[in-house]
Amino acid sequence: MAGIGISALIVAAETLLAFLLQGLVPASSMNVIYVLGVLVVSYACGLVLGTVTAVASGLIYDYFLLPPFGVFTLADRWAWATLLIFVITAVLAGGVAALLRSLVIEADERRRDAVVDARMARLLLRTEHLREALPLASRQLARTLGLPFATIETDAVEGDERRDALPLMEGANRLGTLTVPTGLPEIMTRRVHERVVPSLEALLHAAHERVAINQALEVSREELRRFAAEQAALRRVATLVASGVPPVEIFNAVAAEVGKLLGADRTVLERYTPEAVVLVCSWAKDASRRLPAMASRRPLDDSGIWGMVMASGQPMRMPAGEERKPGEPFTVGVPIIVEARLWGVMIAYFGAEKSVEESVEERMVDFTELLVTAVSNAQARDELAASRGPMVRHGID
């Protein structure tokens, strides 16, 4: 109705202007004035109303400005031809104006879509927690589209009588759901389906990829930190071994380094003898914890982790990984083999809160290799001292 009122006002103004120009401009040139009105109406209100305005302008032009004045001359075939040419010309001009308007509107919508895409990208691609950024992104999208609400969710949501649910997909994988009010105008519905949904799918896919990359980087950084800490601990123990300090000092250092590095509650080093398993040293995370006395002995046939390692000669875990229940403590034992002979065992005790790492045994083996070197060095020194004793007694030294 507003468009019809605007059209009527424009035609009336054009007719008034034509009356004022009578005598100054040839009557056959007055139709140009009406073409301008058709252009304005077509641009502002669309081609349909522009076409109606063109027909109405032709009739008014014929009635008021072509002689005989105040009479329709449509019965005259030449008048029909003139009117038809005018209407066709005006409609074509109106079509150009309507097309220009649609292009301007589309360009403006694309500009606004680009702006909202940039804002949404900043929100979704900079956040560490995607779910926390979605409410703000949803409000931004609703404000840009001029909708009462628009909701972006990472879960599958069903539509109802007040909202339409549009799935956001990446191939066969569902990234989330966009919900918008039901009953949107066709042009807005098309805009949402053709531009908003594909843009959101691309952004959510990129956001998920970014989260996955960040998680992978964090895992890599954690592995690097762990590797650096492990190498530093190994260097400290290796320095002690190379310095020729007493084996007991090296054993104590290894027990402490392994316990701290792996996050164990307690670590012990025990030596196998023909009669029993003898405690060499121990370490506890809780400094106030009372530790077993050094040189305390266990039976060889005991069913503990030391017995399992002695029987197999391989690293053992108790309970085994597939047998461990959630929240259950576990123990890892690694053999110490010196010159192809089972010398002892290094044991680490873990509490219920410790997660199971598949690499625990491998990391403990790196330290047992240093223990083997320390034991071998000590044995070599003892043998050297024993061989030099008779020589000293005979005055050879």
Side-chain angles (χ1 to χ4, degrees):
M1 295 303 296
I4 293 173
I6 292 172
S7 176
L9 289 174
I10 290 176
V11 172
E14 290 171 335
T15 304
L16 178 61
L17 178 60
F19 274 117
L20 295 176
L21 294 177
Q22 273 185 335
L24 300 177
V25 179
S28 59
S29 302
M30 294 293 185
N31 54 10
V32 176
I33 298 174
Y34 291 96
V35 172
L36 294 175
V38 173
L39 285 172
V40 173
V41 173
S42 297
Y43 184 87
C45 305
L47 184 58
V48 174
L49 194 54
T51 302
V52 174
T53 303
V55 174
S57 298
L59 294 174
I60 292 174
Y61 171 68
D62 175 61
Y63 187 82
F64 289 104
L65 300 176
L66 291 180
F69 304 112
V71 177
F72 288 110
T73 60
L74 298 181
D76 187 345
R77 62 193 180 108
W78 297 111
W80 267 107
T82 302
L83 178 62
L84 183 61
I85 292 172
F86 168 79
V87 171
I88 291 174
T89 303
V91 170
L92 289 176
V96 172
L99 178 60
L100 177 61
R101 177 177 182 269
S102 66
L103 292 176
V104 170
I105 292 175
E106 183 176 1
D108 183 62
E109 287 181 350
R110 289 189 179 277
R111 179 189 62 79
R112 284 184 288 159
D113 288 345
V115 171
V116 73
D117 285 347
R119 292 174 178 172
M120 298 278 282
R122 284 195 295 270
L123 287 172
L124 299 180
L125 299 182
R126 290 183 179 180
T127 181
E128 294 296 330
H129 305 284
L130 183 60
R131 287 181 179 271
E132 296 178 2
L134 289 181
L136 182 57
S138 299
R139 291 193 294 271
Q140 179 67 54
L141 180 62
R143 185 164 55 250
T144 302
L145 297 177
L147 300 178
F149 68 87
T151 306
I152 308 169
E153 301 184 40
T154 56
D155 301 320
V157 178
E158 298 295 332
D160 52 36
E161 66 278 358
R162 60 179 294 270
R163 64 178 183 177
D164 290 330
L166 308 176
L168 303 174
M169 308 292 294
E170 173 60 30
N173 299 323
R174 184 155 188 166
L175 302 173
T177 307
L178 170 66
T179 59
V180 294
T182 57
L184 294 178
E186 182 181 354
I187 187 171
M188 177 59 71
T189 301
R190 188 166 59 251
R191 180 183 178 189
V192 169
H193 281 271
E194 294 179 359
R195 293 210 289 269
V196 176
V197 168
S199 176
L200 283 178
E201 288 174 339
L203 284 175
L204 287 179
H205 177 67
H208 284 295
E209 289 291 320
R210 178 182 178 275
V211 170
I213 291 173
N214 286 342
Q215 290 175 345
L217 288 175
E218 183 58 33
V219 170
S220 298
R221 285 193 290 266
E222 181 60 31
E223 289 179 351
L224 286 174
R225 286 193 291 267
R226 189 177 70 176
F227 179 76
E230 184 173 337
Q231 292 303 306
L234 287 170
R235 281 196 300 272
R236 289 191 291 269
V237 176
T239 301
L240 293 176
V241 174
S243 300
V245 300
V248 173
E249 185 175 342
I250 297 174
F251 295 157
N252 288 326
V254 168
E257 294 286 2
V258 170
K260 294 174 184 177
L261 187 67
L262 301 181
D265 288 346
R266 187 165 62 96
T267 56
V268 299
L269 291 176
E270 295 182 314
R271 181 177 181 180
Y272 295 116
T273 67
E275 299 80 20
V277 182
V278 181
L279 179 64
V280 176
C281 68
S282 61
W283 171 90
K285 180 168 62 176
D286 184 2
S288 62
R289 180 171 182 170
R290 185 175 180 180
L291 298 176
M294 295 300 100
S296 59
R297 305 164 75 85
R298 305 174 189 269
L300 286 175
D301 58 353
D302 198 300
S303 60
I305 189 72
W306 51 89
M308 297 171 60
V309 172
M310 185 177 66
S312 65
Q314 300 292 327
M316 300 297 294
R317 182 178 296 200
M318 188 177 72
E322 63 275 6
E323 298 175 358
R324 184 190 181 215
K325 300 180 178 61
E328 183 180 9
F330 68 102
T331 306
V332 177
V334 175
I336 302 171
I337 300 176
V338 179
E339 297 179 356
R341 183 174 60 86
L342 184 61
W343 183 89
V345 61
M346 178 166 59
I347 303 173
Y349 298 89
F350 297 91
E353 74 284 353
K354 179 67 177 179
S355 60
V356 178
E357 296 182 15
E358 297 298 328
S359 61
V360 168
E361 290 87 346
E362 296 176 5
R363 299 170 72 186
M364 291 175 66
V365 166
D366 292 336
F367 286 90
T368 61
E369 292 175 354
L370 291 174
L371 289 174
V372 170
T373 301
V375 172
S376 298
N377 290 345
Q379 289 179 347
R381 285 195 298 269
D382 292 343
E383 292 173 359
L384 178 61
S387 65
R388 295 177 64 182
M391 299 172 65
V392 171
R393 286 195 298 271
H394 287 82
I396 299 176
D397 193 320

